[in-house]
Amino acid sequence: MTSPLHRRATLLLGLGSLSACATPTRGPAVPRDQTARASVLGIPNARFFPGLGTGPITAEFNAAVERQHRVRNLPADAMLPTLDLLAVSGGGDDGAFGAGLLNGWTAEGTRPEFDLVTGVSTGGLTAPFAFLGPDYDAALRRVYTQVTLADIAIQRSLLNAVFNDGLADTTPLFRTISRELDQTMLDRIAEGYRQGRLLLIGTTDLDAQLPVIWNIGAIAASGHPGALELIRKILLASASIPGAFPPVLFDVMLDGVPHQELHVDGGAVAQAFLYPTAVTAARRARIARRLPVQPIRAWVIRNARLDSNWAATSRRTMSIAARAVETMIASSGFNDVNRIWLNAERDGVEYRLAFITPAFTVPYTTPFNPDYMRPLFDYGFDRARRGFDWARRPPFIE
């Protein structure tokens, strides 16, 4: 059976149809060593570059905890109730698994309100719905059971792709995102942020070769008239598979001079993330001194299988390259769930992992095909509705 990862790798290397040729242009890139100083909409905490220092994002986490204390009318030194953190990984149309799981979890009755939701790629598209809770379950179901390839991309000819910025045009995906992410949803995200909850989406800055963590709640709460459009572009960028889909251009300002950044799928760096290690430094210090710490649960939804997917690879350039890309994506995803687990073990955080098991056997044929995505949604839904069997550690860890 051809895997979804293999299909996406092939899409990356050989998508084709008809379109007019055009050479894309862009504004000047942010100069070397100035990345962290570039501003988007003038919002100081709109995003973070953890590869350039974790001070700003650590301060954002601390500020969120302070807001939670104020909302709950608790003293600053009081311990909060259990914090629930959710990471939703990339995985393309396998995101139907996570969507079904969240819907089924609601039906089962124990789904918590998440204090932190992070997302990458398809996980970035899921994350706002997960952040807002059961009220948006129906919309999440619609996105992952009714969307087709025509709602995602317009294929380009191979010749056009060579002279353009991707093998497909993602205007349909931007329209889909814009239809779902409206002003009401933006206002709800802003309210969650003001309550001390965080919604973070990952992209990759190609110029700087750095991961970017976008602070969606802060952008929504900024009141800037361009906030809604910016967040839509962030979701598009997070899901823009390099080469297959065009990168997303972000207009930024540096010392009053306009520049542009080129962003692609956050999965180019990591398939999933939760929090930087610096955020939990004080917690580790308390653990070392055997002092009580706040209960934290880390929930990780890996929208993919974690077992190896054997397949005979033909001795052809395209087949070998596609298989290699598939292997790299799968290995990256497996390494990410291991990394999050190791960090959770170190920080005294309860770890829970969900992923697609070999029990799901519906064959994969074409990208974003409802005949595949609906059964996968139902598979995730049914497992969660009867009480999901969350793994307490990644598979194959002794």
Side-chain angles (χ1 to χ4, degrees):
M1 179 178 70
T2 303
S3 75
L5 279 177
H6 182 82
R7 290 284 182 172
R8 285 193 289 277
T10 304
L11 177 72
L12 174 65
L13 294 162
L15 199 58
S17 185
L18 294 176
S19 184
C21 289
T23 302
T25 60
R26 60 168 295 182
V30 175
R32 181 189 297 271
D33 300 327
Q34 299 297 312
T35 300
R37 296 184 56 241
S39 172
V40 184
L41 299 186
I43 304 170
N45 59 340
R47 61 187 185 165
F48 308 101
F49 294 88
L52 299 176
T54 55
I57 194 170
T58 300
E60 185 67 25
F61 272 77
N62 291 338
V65 171
E66 292 174 4
R67 291 197 298 277
Q68 285 212 13
H69 278 91
R70 288 197 299 271
V71 168
R72 298 171 186 268
N73 293 316
L74 293 174
D77 58 350
M79 190 171 294
L80 291 168
T82 300
L83 289 178
D84 285 289
L85 320 179
L86 173 67
V88 190
S89 85
D93 37 12
D94 277 345
F97 167 70
L101 189 159
L102 288 165
N103 272 259
W105 200 354
T106 297
E108 187 267 343
T110 62
R111 175 178 165 183
E113 179 180 72
F114 299 109
D115 300 280
L116 167 69
V117 178
T118 70
V120 174
S121 194
T122 195
L125 301 179
T126 300
F129 299 102
F131 181 78
L132 294 177
D135 287 351
Y136 281 83
D137 278 0
L140 184 60
R141 176 193 293 267
R142 179 174 63 249
V143 168
Y144 280 97
T145 60
Q146 298 180 18
V147 164
T148 67
L149 183 58
D151 300 301
I152 303 298
I154 300 171
Q155 299 175 349
R156 291 171 173 162
S157 69
L158 186 58
L159 178 62
N160 187 25
V162 169
F163 293 99
N164 218 305
D165 56 359
L167 296 169
D169 177 355
T170 50
T171 299
L173 177 56
F174 188 73
R175 284 198 296 263
T176 299
I177 292 170
S178 299
R179 182 179 65 245
E180 299 297 337
L181 183 56
D182 58 12
Q183 186 63 47
T184 299
M185 195 171 186
L186 185 81
D187 294 341
R188 294 282 299 275
I189 292 171
E191 180 58 29
Y193 178 78
R194 285 189 285 267
Q195 292 172 357
R197 301 167 55 229
L198 296 176
L199 172 59
L200 306 176
I201 304 297
T203 66
T204 301
D205 182 335
L206 276 186
D207 295 321
Q209 289 189 321
L210 288 171
V212 184
I213 297 177
W214 294 87
N215 194 1
I216 304 301
I219 298 170
S222 69
H224 195 287
L228 182 58
E229 189 75 359
L230 173 60
I231 294 173
R232 289 168 172 169
K233 290 180 66 176
I234 292 167
L235 299 188
L236 178 65
S238 184
S240 293
I241 306 166
F245 296 159
V248 175
L249 287 169
F250 287 93
D251 295 320
V252 302
M253 297 295 291
L254 179 64
D255 297 329
V257 179
H259 294 75
Q260 283 191 324
E261 296 174 349
L262 217 61
H263 287 237
V264 297
D265 194 327
V269 174
Q271 294 289 312
F273 70 96
L274 203 53
Y275 56 82
T277 58
V279 168
T280 51
R283 181 183 180 86
R284 291 195 297 275
R286 290 185 64 86
I287 292 173
R289 295 165 56 194
R290 299 184 183 279
L291 296 175
V293 293
Q294 179 181 11
I296 301 178
R297 295 183 294 191
W299 309 89
V300 181
I301 299 176
R302 174 62 181 140
N303 286 309
R305 291 172 56 154
L306 291 178
D307 58 315
S308 62
N309 179 52
W310 186 94
T313 307
S314 63
R315 194 176 174 183
R316 296 291 185 271
T317 299
M318 295 296 288
S319 178
I320 294 169
R323 184 66 170 169
V325 171
E326 175 190 356
T327 302
M328 288 187 288
I329 294 172
S331 297
S332 173
F334 185 76
N335 291 338
D336 288 331
V337 298
N338 284 342
R339 170 178 47 79
I340 294 173
W341 171 70
L342 289 170
N343 289 345
E345 287 285 293
R346 177 202 61 205
D347 296 338
V349 172
E350 295 182 28
Y351 178 90
R352 303 288 185 272
L353 171 66
F355 56 93
I356 302 171
T357 72
F360 181 73
T361 59
V362 174
Y364 190 95
T365 54
T366 56
F368 301 99
N369 187 337
D371 290 339
Y372 172 83
M373 296 173 68
R374 286 170 185 157
L376 183 55
F377 179 97
D378 292 340
Y379 164 78
F381 182 93
D382 291 340
R383 287 183 63 190
R385 181 174 54 182
R386 61 176 181 263
F388 200 91
D389 50 337
W390 296 89
R392 299 302 181 95
R393 60 176 60 193
F396 319 121
I397 296 293
E398 298 297 333

